[in-house]
Amino acid sequence: MCTNIVYEWLKTLQLPQYAESFVDNGYDDLEVCKQIGDPDLDAIGVAVPHHRRRIHEAVRRLKEADEKAAGLYFTLEPQP
């Protein structure tokens, strides 16, 4: 079984059975996974409605985390 960030993410969703299909279809990074829609889930083979909802909810949380982090920045300049 592949061990990568997508596998770990799916494992936290209790859906690790889809990890190989995700990677085989090019979803090997969470940045790419943020773009998943219903046609993508069809191609990956996620047919169970409950599983689809769980993935859509997790994608929404990933996007929200990005929005929160977008306001953060770091500087190497010393602050006065």
Side-chain angles (χ1 to χ4, degrees):
M1 176 56 59
C2 54
T3 303
N4 67 17
I5 191 71
V6 174
Y7 171 75
E8 294 300 324
W9 178 64
L10 289 167
K11 198 163 90 170
T12 65
L13 300 175
Q14 299 177 340
L15 299 170
Q17 67 269 33
Y18 297 113
E20 192 170 337
S21 293
F22 266 68
V23 172
D24 289 348
N25 284 279
Y27 296 93
D28 56 355
D29 183 86
L30 291 183
E31 287 300 314
V32 179
C33 289
K34 291 177 192 174
Q35 308 305 316
I36 288 177
D38 283 320
D40 305 299
L41 293 178
D42 291 339
I44 292 168
V46 182
V48 180
H50 174 80
H51 292 177
R52 293 172 77 94
R53 281 192 302 273
R54 200 180 304 169
I55 291 169
H56 281 305
E57 177 63 22
V59 167
R60 184 188 61 76
R61 287 192 307 266
L62 285 174
K63 288 178 180 178
E64 284 178 359
D66 265 4
E67 290 172 9
K68 290 178 184 175
L72 300 176
Y73 67 94
F74 298 95
T75 179
L76 298 176
E77 303 286 324
Q79 295 296 314

Coordinates of all heavy atoms in Angstrom, one line a residue:
M1 N 0.9 -1.2 0.0 CA 0.0 0.0 0.0 C 0.9 1.2 0.0 O 1.9 1.3 0.6 CB -0.9 -0.1 1.2 CG -1.8 1.2 1.4 SD -2.9 1.6 0.1 CE -3.9 0.2 -0.1
C2 N 0.4 2.3 -0.7 CA 1.2 3.5 -0.8 C 1.1 4.2 0.6 O 0.1 4.2 1.3 CB 0.6 4.4 -1.9 SG -1.1 4.7 -1.7
T3 N 2.2 4.8 1.0 CA 2.3 5.6 2.2 C 2.6 7.0 1.9 O 3.8 7.3 1.6 CB 3.3 5.0 3.2 OG1 2.9 3.6 3.5 CG2 3.2 5.7 4.5
N4 N 1.6 7.8 1.8 CA 1.9 9.2 1.5 C 0.8 10.1 2.2 O 0.0 9.6 2.9 CB 1.9 9.5 0.0 CG 0.6 9.3 -0.7 OD1 -0.5 9.3 -0.1 ND2 0.6 9.2 -2.0
I5 N 0.9 11.4 2.0 CA 0.0 12.3 2.7 C -1.5 12.0 2.4 O -2.4 12.1 3.2 CB 0.4 13.8 2.4 CG1 -0.4 14.7 3.3 CG2 0.1 14.1 1.0 CD1 0.1 14.6 4.8
V6 N -1.8 11.6 1.1 CA -3.2 11.3 0.8 C -3.7 10.1 1.5 O -4.8 10.0 2.0 CB -3.3 11.2 -0.8 CG1 -4.7 10.8 -1.1 CG2 -3.0 12.5 -1.4
Y7 N -2.8 9.1 1.6 CA -3.2 7.9 2.3 C -3.4 8.2 3.8 O -4.4 7.8 4.3 CB -2.0 6.8 2.2 CG -2.3 5.6 3.1 CD1 -3.2 4.7 2.8 CD2 -1.6 5.5 4.3 CE1 -3.5 3.6 3.7 CE2 -1.8 4.5 5.2 CZ -2.8 3.5 4.9 OH -3.0 2.5 5.7
E8 N -2.6 9.0 4.4 CA -2.8 9.4 5.8 C -4.1 10.2 6.0 O -4.8 10.0 6.9 CB -1.6 10.2 6.3 CG -0.3 9.4 6.4 CD -0.4 8.2 7.3 OE1 -1.0 8.2 8.3 OE2 0.3 7.2 6.9
W9 N -4.4 11.1 5.0 CA -5.6 11.9 5.0 C -6.8 11.0 4.9 O -7.7 11.1 5.7 CB -5.5 12.9 3.9 CG -6.7 13.7 3.7 CD1 -7.2 14.7 4.6 CD2 -7.6 13.8 2.6 NE1 -8.3 15.3 4.1 CE2 -8.6 14.8 2.9 CE3 -7.7 13.1 1.4 CZ2 -9.6 15.1 2.0 CZ3 -8.7 13.5 0.5 CH2 -9.6 14.4 0.8
L10 N -6.8 10.0 4.0 CA -7.9 9.1 3.8 C -8.0 8.2 5.1 O -9.1 7.8 5.4 CB -7.7 8.3 2.6 CG -8.0 9.1 1.3 CD1 -7.5 8.3 0.1 CD2 -9.4 9.5 1.1
K11 N -6.9 7.9 5.7 CA -7.0 7.0 6.9 C -7.7 7.8 8.0 O -8.5 7.2 8.7 CB -5.5 6.6 7.3 CG -5.5 5.5 8.2 CD -4.1 4.9 8.2 CE -3.2 5.6 9.3 NZ -1.9 4.9 9.5
T12 N -7.4 9.1 8.1 CA -8.1 9.8 9.2 C -9.6 9.9 8.9 O -10.4 10.1 9.8 CB -7.5 11.3 9.3 OG1 -7.8 12.0 8.2 CG2 -6.1 11.2 9.7
L13 N -10.0 9.8 7.6 CA -11.4 9.8 7.3 C -12.0 8.5 7.3 O -13.2 8.3 7.0 CB -11.6 10.4 5.8 CG -11.1 11.8 5.6 CD1 -11.2 12.1 4.1 CD2 -11.8 12.8 6.4
Q14 N -11.2 7.5 7.7 CA -11.6 6.1 7.8 C -12.0 5.6 6.4 O -12.9 4.8 6.2 CB -12.7 5.8 8.8 CG -12.3 6.2 10.2 CD -13.4 6.1 11.2 OE1 -14.6 6.0 10.9 NE2 -13.0 6.0 12.5
L15 N -11.2 6.0 5.4 CA -11.5 5.6 4.0 C -10.2 5.2 3.3 O -10.0 5.5 2.1 CB -12.1 6.8 3.2 CG -13.5 7.2 3.7 CD1 -13.9 8.5 3.0 CD2 -14.5 6.1 3.5
P16 N -9.3 4.5 4.0 CA -8.0 4.2 3.3 C -8.1 3.2 2.1 O -7.2 3.2 1.3 CB -7.2 3.5 4.5 CG -8.3 2.9 5.3 CD -9.4 3.9 5.3
Q17 N -9.3 2.6 2.0 CA -9.4 1.7 0.8 C -9.4 2.4 -0.5 O -9.2 1.8 -1.5 CB -10.7 0.9 1.0 CG -12.0 1.7 0.9 CD -12.5 2.2 2.2 OE1 -11.8 2.5 3.1 NE2 -13.8 2.3 2.3
Y18 N -9.5 3.7 -0.5 CA -9.5 4.5 -1.8 C -8.1 5.0 -2.1 O -7.9 5.6 -3.2 CB -10.5 5.6 -1.7 CG -11.9 5.2 -1.6 CD1 -12.7 5.4 -0.4 CD2 -12.6 4.5 -2.6 CE1 -14.0 5.0 -0.3 CE2 -13.9 4.1 -2.5 CZ -14.6 4.4 -1.3 OH -15.9 4.0 -1.2
A19 N -7.2 4.9 -1.2 CA -5.8 5.5 -1.4 C -5.2 5.1 -2.7 O -4.7 6.0 -3.4 CB -4.9 5.1 -0.2
E20 N -5.2 3.9 -3.1 CA -4.5 3.5 -4.3 C -5.2 4.1 -5.5 O -4.6 4.5 -6.5 CB -4.5 1.9 -4.4 CG -3.6 1.4 -5.5 CD -3.4 -0.1 -5.5 OE1 -3.6 -0.7 -4.4 OE2 -3.1 -0.6 -6.5
S21 N -6.6 4.1 -5.5 CA -7.3 4.7 -6.6 C -7.1 6.2 -6.7 O -7.0 6.7 -7.8 CB -8.8 4.5 -6.4 OG -9.1 3.1 -6.6
F22 N -7.0 6.9 -5.6 CA -6.6 8.3 -5.6 C -5.3 8.5 -6.3 O -5.2 9.3 -7.2 CB -6.6 8.9 -4.1 CG -7.9 9.5 -3.6 CD1 -9.0 8.7 -3.4 CD2 -8.0 10.8 -3.4 CE1 -10.2 9.2 -2.9 CE2 -9.1 11.4 -2.9 CZ -10.2 10.6 -2.7
V23 N -4.3 7.8 -5.8 CA -2.9 8.0 -6.4 C -2.9 7.6 -7.9 O -2.4 8.3 -8.7 CB -1.9 7.2 -5.6 CG1 -0.5 7.2 -6.3 CG2 -1.8 7.8 -4.2
D24 N -3.6 6.5 -8.2 CA -3.6 6.1 -9.6 C -4.3 7.1 -10.5 O -4.0 7.1 -11.7 CB -4.4 4.7 -9.8 CG -3.6 3.5 -9.2 OD1 -2.4 3.7 -8.9 OD2 -4.2 2.5 -9.0
N25 N -5.2 7.9 -10.0 CA -5.9 8.9 -10.8 C -5.3 10.3 -10.6 O -5.9 11.3 -11.0 CB -7.4 9.0 -10.4 CG -8.1 7.8 -11.0 OD1 -8.5 7.9 -12.1 ND2 -8.3 6.8 -10.2
G26 N -4.1 10.3 -10.1 CA -3.3 11.6 -10.0 C -3.5 12.4 -8.7 O -3.0 13.5 -8.6
Y27 N -4.3 11.9 -7.8 CA -4.6 12.7 -6.6 C -3.6 12.2 -5.5 O -3.9 11.5 -4.6 CB -6.0 12.5 -6.1 CG -7.0 13.0 -7.1 CD1 -7.5 12.2 -8.1 CD2 -7.3 14.4 -7.1 CE1 -8.4 12.8 -9.0 CE2 -8.2 14.9 -8.0 CZ -8.7 14.1 -9.0 OH -9.5 14.7 -9.9
D28 N -2.3 12.6 -5.7 CA -1.2 12.2 -4.8 C -0.8 13.3 -3.9 O 0.3 13.1 -3.2 CB -0.1 11.6 -5.6 CG 0.5 12.6 -6.6 OD1 -0.1 13.7 -6.8 OD2 1.5 12.3 -7.3
D29 N -1.5 14.4 -3.8 CA -1.1 15.5 -3.0 C -2.4 16.2 -2.5 O -3.4 16.2 -3.3 CB -0.3 16.5 -3.9 CG 0.2 17.6 -3.1 OD1 1.3 17.5 -2.5 OD2 -0.5 18.7 -3.1
L30 N -2.4 16.7 -1.3 CA -3.6 17.4 -0.8 C -4.0 18.6 -1.6 O -5.2 18.9 -1.7 CB -3.4 17.7 0.7 CG -3.4 16.5 1.6 CD1 -3.3 17.0 3.1 CD2 -4.6 15.6 1.4
E31 N -3.0 19.3 -2.2 CA -3.3 20.5 -3.0 C -4.2 20.0 -4.2 O -5.2 20.7 -4.6 CB -2.1 21.2 -3.5 CG -1.4 21.9 -2.4 CD -2.2 23.0 -1.8 OE1 -2.9 23.8 -2.6 OE2 -2.2 23.1 -0.6
V32 N -3.9 18.9 -4.8 CA -4.7 18.4 -5.9 C -6.1 17.9 -5.4 O -7.1 18.1 -6.0 CB -4.0 17.3 -6.6 CG1 -4.8 16.7 -7.7 CG2 -2.6 17.7 -7.1
C33 N -6.1 17.3 -4.2 CA -7.3 16.8 -3.6 C -8.3 17.9 -3.3 O -9.5 17.7 -3.3 CB -7.0 16.0 -2.4 SG -6.2 14.4 -2.7
K34 N -7.9 19.1 -3.1 CA -8.8 20.2 -2.9 C -9.7 20.6 -4.0 O -10.6 21.3 -3.9 CB -8.0 21.5 -2.5 CG -7.3 21.4 -1.2 CD -6.5 22.6 -0.9 CE -5.6 22.4 0.3 NZ -4.7 23.6 0.5
Q35 N -9.3 20.0 -5.2 CA -10.1 20.3 -6.4 C -11.1 19.2 -6.7 O -11.8 19.3 -7.8 CB -9.1 20.4 -7.6 CG -8.0 21.4 -7.4 CD -8.5 22.8 -7.0 OE1 -9.4 23.3 -7.6 NE2 -7.8 23.4 -6.0
I36 N -11.2 18.2 -5.9 CA -12.1 17.1 -6.2 C -13.5 17.5 -6.2 O -14.0 18.1 -5.3 CB -11.8 15.9 -5.1 CG1 -10.5 15.3 -5.3 CG2 -12.9 14.9 -5.2 CD1 -10.1 14.3 -4.3
G37 N -14.2 17.0 -7.2 CA -15.6 17.2 -7.4 C -16.3 15.8 -7.7 O -15.6 14.8 -7.7
D38 N -17.6 15.8 -7.9 CA -18.3 14.6 -8.2 C -17.8 13.8 -9.3 O -17.6 12.5 -9.2 CB -19.8 14.8 -8.3 CG -20.5 15.1 -7.0 OD1 -20.1 14.4 -6.0 OD2 -21.3 16.0 -6.9
P39 N -17.4 14.4 -10.5 CA -16.9 13.6 -11.6 C -15.6 12.9 -11.2 O -15.3 11.8 -11.7 CB -16.6 14.6 -12.7 CG -17.5 15.8 -12.4 CD -17.6 15.8 -10.9
D40 N -14.8 13.6 -10.4 CA -13.5 13.0 -9.9 C -13.8 11.8 -9.0 O -13.1 10.7 -9.2 CB -12.7 14.0 -9.1 CG -12.4 15.3 -9.9 OD1 -11.8 15.2 -11.0 OD2 -12.9 16.4 -9.5
L41 N -14.7 11.9 -8.1 CA -15.0 10.8 -7.3 C -15.6 9.6 -8.1 O -15.3 8.4 -7.8 CB -16.0 11.2 -6.2 CG -15.5 12.2 -5.2 CD1 -16.6 12.6 -4.2 CD2 -14.3 11.6 -4.4
D42 N -16.3 9.9 -9.2 CA -16.8 8.8 -10.1 C -15.6 8.1 -10.7 O -15.5 6.9 -10.7 CB -17.7 9.4 -11.2 CG -19.0 9.9 -10.7 OD1 -19.5 9.5 -9.6 OD2 -19.6 10.8 -11.4
A43 N -14.6 8.9 -11.2 CA -13.4 8.3 -11.8 C -12.6 7.5 -10.8 O -12.1 6.5 -11.2 CB -12.6 9.4 -12.4
I44 N -12.5 8.0 -9.6 CA -11.8 7.3 -8.6 C -12.5 6.0 -8.1 O -11.8 5.0 -7.7 CB -11.5 8.2 -7.4 CG1 -10.6 9.4 -7.8 CG2 -10.9 7.5 -6.2 CD1 -10.5 10.5 -6.8
G45 N -13.8 6.0 -8.2 CA -14.5 4.8 -7.9 C -15.2 4.9 -6.5 O -15.5 3.9 -5.9
V46 N -15.4 6.1 -6.0 CA -16.1 6.3 -4.8 C -17.6 6.4 -5.1 O -18.1 7.5 -5.5 CB -15.6 7.6 -4.0 CG1 -16.3 7.7 -2.7 CG2 -14.1 7.6 -3.8
A47 N -18.3 5.3 -4.9 CA -19.7 5.2 -5.2 C -20.6 5.3 -4.0 O -21.8 5.7 -4.2 CB -20.0 3.9 -6.0
V48 N -20.1 5.0 -2.8 CA -21.0 5.0 -1.6 C -21.3 6.5 -1.2 O -20.3 7.3 -1.0 CB -20.3 4.3 -0.5 CG1 -21.1 4.3 0.8 CG2 -19.9 2.9 -0.9
P49 N -22.6 6.9 -1.2 CA -22.9 8.3 -0.9 C -22.3 8.8 0.4 O -21.9 9.9 0.4 CB -24.5 8.2 -0.9 CG -24.8 7.1 -1.7 CD -23.7 6.1 -1.5
H50 N -22.3 7.9 1.4 CA -21.8 8.3 2.7 C -20.3 8.7 2.6 O -19.8 9.6 3.2 CB -22.0 7.2 3.7 CG -21.4 7.4 5.0 ND1 -22.0 8.2 6.0 CD2 -20.2 7.0 5.6 CE1 -21.2 8.2 7.1 NE2 -20.1 7.5 6.8
H51 N -19.6 7.9 1.8 CA -18.1 8.1 1.6 C -17.9 9.4 0.8 O -17.0 10.2 1.1 CB -17.5 6.9 0.9 CG -17.5 5.7 1.7 ND1 -17.0 4.5 1.2 CD2 -17.9 5.4 3.0 CE1 -17.1 3.6 2.2 NE2 -17.6 4.1 3.2
R52 N -18.7 9.6 -0.2 CA -18.6 10.8 -1.0 C -18.8 12.1 -0.1 O -18.1 13.1 -0.2 CB -19.6 10.8 -2.1 CG -19.3 9.7 -3.2 CD -20.4 9.6 -4.2 NE -20.4 10.6 -5.2 CZ -19.8 10.6 -6.4 NH1 -19.2 9.4 -6.7 NH2 -19.9 11.6 -7.2
R53 N -19.8 12.0 0.7 CA -20.1 13.2 1.6 C -18.9 13.4 2.6 O -18.6 14.6 2.8 CB -21.4 12.9 2.4 CG -22.7 13.2 1.6 CD -23.9 13.2 2.5 NE -24.1 12.0 3.3 CZ -24.8 10.9 2.8 NH1 -25.3 11.0 1.6 NH2 -24.9 9.9 3.6
R54 N -18.4 12.3 3.1 CA -17.2 12.5 4.0 C -16.0 13.1 3.3 O -15.4 14.0 3.9 CB -16.9 11.1 4.5 CG -16.1 11.1 5.8 CD -15.7 9.8 6.3 NE -16.8 8.9 6.6 CZ -16.7 7.6 6.8 NH1 -15.5 7.1 6.9 NH2 -17.8 6.9 7.0
I55 N -15.8 12.7 2.1 CA -14.7 13.3 1.3 C -15.0 14.8 1.0 O -14.1 15.6 1.1 CB -14.4 12.5 0.0 CG1 -13.8 11.1 0.4 CG2 -13.4 13.2 -0.9 CD1 -13.7 10.1 -0.7
H56 N -16.2 15.1 0.5 CA -16.5 16.5 0.2 C -16.4 17.4 1.5 O -15.9 18.5 1.4 CB -18.0 16.6 -0.3 CG -18.1 16.2 -1.7 ND1 -17.4 16.8 -2.7 CD2 -18.9 15.3 -2.4 CE1 -17.7 16.3 -3.9 NE2 -18.7 15.4 -3.7
E57 N -16.8 16.9 2.6 CA -16.7 17.6 3.9 C -15.2 17.9 4.2 O -14.8 18.9 4.6 CB -17.4 16.9 5.0 CG -17.2 17.6 6.3 CD -17.9 19.0 6.4 OE1 -18.8 19.3 5.6 OE2 -17.4 19.7 7.3
A58 N -14.4 16.8 4.0 CA -12.9 16.9 4.3 C -12.3 17.9 3.4 O -11.4 18.7 3.8 CB -12.3 15.6 4.2
V59 N -12.7 17.9 2.1 CA -12.1 18.9 1.1 C -12.5 20.3 1.5 O -11.7 21.2 1.5 CB -12.6 18.6 -0.3 CG1 -12.3 19.7 -1.3 CG2 -12.0 17.3 -0.8
R60 N -13.7 20.5 2.0 CA -14.2 21.8 2.5 C -13.3 22.3 3.6 O -12.8 23.4 3.7 CB -15.6 21.8 2.9 CG -16.2 23.1 3.3 CD -17.6 23.0 3.9 NE -17.6 22.2 5.1 CZ -17.2 22.7 6.3 NH1 -16.6 23.8 6.4 NH2 -17.3 21.9 7.3
R61 N -13.0 21.4 4.6 CA -12.1 21.7 5.7 C -10.7 22.1 5.3 O -10.1 23.0 5.8 CB -12.1 20.6 6.7 CG -13.4 20.5 7.5 CD -13.3 19.5 8.7 NE -12.7 18.2 8.4 CZ -13.5 17.2 8.1 NH1 -14.8 17.2 8.1 NH2 -12.9 16.0 7.9
L62 N -10.2 21.3 4.3 CA -8.9 21.7 3.7 C -8.8 23.1 3.2 O -7.9 23.8 3.4 CB -8.4 20.7 2.6 CG -8.0 19.3 3.1 CD1 -7.8 18.4 1.8 CD2 -6.8 19.3 3.9
K63 N -9.9 23.4 2.4 CA -9.9 24.7 1.8 C -10.1 25.8 2.9 O -9.4 26.9 2.8 CB -11.1 24.8 0.8 CG -10.9 24.0 -0.4 CD -12.1 24.1 -1.3 CE -12.0 23.3 -2.6 NZ -13.2 23.4 -3.4
E64 N -10.9 25.6 3.9 CA -11.0 26.5 5.0 C -9.7 26.7 5.7 O -9.3 27.9 6.1 CB -12.1 26.1 6.0 CG -13.5 26.3 5.5 CD -14.5 25.8 6.5 OE1 -14.1 25.2 7.5 OE2 -15.7 25.9 6.2
A65 N -8.9 25.7 5.9 CA -7.6 25.8 6.6 C -6.7 26.7 5.8 O -5.9 27.4 6.3 CB -7.0 24.4 6.8
D66 N -6.8 26.5 4.5 CA -5.9 27.4 3.6 C -6.3 28.8 3.7 O -5.5 29.7 3.8 CB -6.1 26.9 2.1 CG -5.1 26.0 1.7 OD1 -4.2 25.6 2.5 OD2 -5.1 25.6 0.5
E67 N -7.6 29.1 3.8 CA -8.1 30.5 3.9 C -7.6 31.1 5.2 O -7.2 32.3 5.2 CB -9.6 30.6 3.8 CG -10.1 30.2 2.4 CD -11.6 30.1 2.3 OE1 -12.3 30.4 3.3 OE2 -12.1 29.7 1.3
K68 N -7.6 30.4 6.3 CA -7.2 30.9 7.5 C -5.7 31.1 7.5 O -5.2 32.1 8.1 CB -7.5 29.9 8.7 CG -9.0 29.9 9.0 CD -9.3 28.8 10.1 CE -10.8 28.7 10.3 NZ -11.1 27.7 11.2
A69 N -4.9 30.3 6.9 CA -3.5 30.4 6.8 C -3.0 31.5 5.9 O -1.9 32.0 6.0 CB -2.8 29.1 6.4
A70 N -3.9 31.9 5.0 CA -3.5 32.9 4.0 C -3.2 34.2 4.6 O -2.4 35.0 4.0 CB -4.7 33.1 2.9
G71 N -3.8 34.5 5.8 CA -3.5 35.8 6.4 C -2.2 35.8 7.2 O -1.8 36.8 7.7
L72 N -1.6 34.7 7.3 CA -0.3 34.6 8.1 C 0.9 34.8 7.1 O 0.9 34.3 6.0 CB -0.2 33.2 8.8 CG -1.3 32.8 9.7 CD1 -1.1 31.4 10.2 CD2 -1.3 33.8 10.9
Y73 N 1.9 35.4 7.6 CA 3.1 35.5 6.9 C 4.3 35.7 7.8 O 4.1 36.0 9.0 CB 3.1 36.7 5.9 CG 3.0 38.0 6.5 CD1 4.2 38.7 6.7 CD2 1.8 38.6 6.9 CE1 4.2 40.0 7.3 CE2 1.8 39.8 7.5 CZ 3.0 40.5 7.7 OH 2.9 41.8 8.3
F74 N 5.4 35.4 7.4 CA 6.6 35.5 8.2 C 7.6 36.4 7.5 O 7.6 36.6 6.3 CB 7.3 34.1 8.3 CG 6.4 33.1 9.0 CD1 5.6 32.2 8.2 CD2 6.4 33.0 10.3 CE1 4.8 31.3 8.9 CE2 5.6 32.1 11.0 CZ 4.8 31.3 10.3
T75 N 8.4 37.1 8.3 CA 9.4 38.0 7.8 C 10.7 37.7 8.5 O 10.7 37.3 9.6 CB 9.0 39.5 8.0 OG1 10.0 40.3 7.5 CG2 8.7 39.8 9.5
L76 N 11.8 38.0 7.7 CA 13.1 37.8 8.3 C 13.6 39.1 8.8 O 14.7 39.2 9.5 CB 14.0 37.3 7.2 CG 13.7 35.9 6.7 CD1 14.6 35.5 5.5 CD2 13.7 34.8 7.8
E77 N 12.9 40.2 8.6 CA 13.3 41.5 9.1 C 12.9 41.6 10.6 O 11.9 41.2 11.0 CB 12.5 42.6 8.4 CG 12.6 42.6 6.9 CD 14.0 43.1 6.4 OE1 14.5 44.0 7.1 OE2 14.5 42.6 5.5
P78 N 13.9 42.2 11.4 CA 13.5 42.4 12.8 C 12.5 43.4 12.9 O 12.4 44.4 12.2 CB 14.9 42.8 13.4 CG 15.7 43.3 12.2 CD 15.2 42.6 11.0
Q79 N 11.6 43.2 13.8 CA 10.5 44.2 14.1 C 11.0 45.3 15.0 O 11.7 45.0 16.0 CB 9.3 43.4 14.7 CG 8.6 42.4 13.8 CD 8.0 43.1 12.5 OE1 7.3 44.1 12.6 NE2 8.4 42.6 11.4
P80 N 10.6 46.5 14.8 CA 11.0 47.6 15.7 C 10.5 47.5 17.1 O 9.5 47.0 17.3 CB 10.5 48.9 14.9 CG 9.6 48.4 13.9 CD 9.7 47.0 13.7

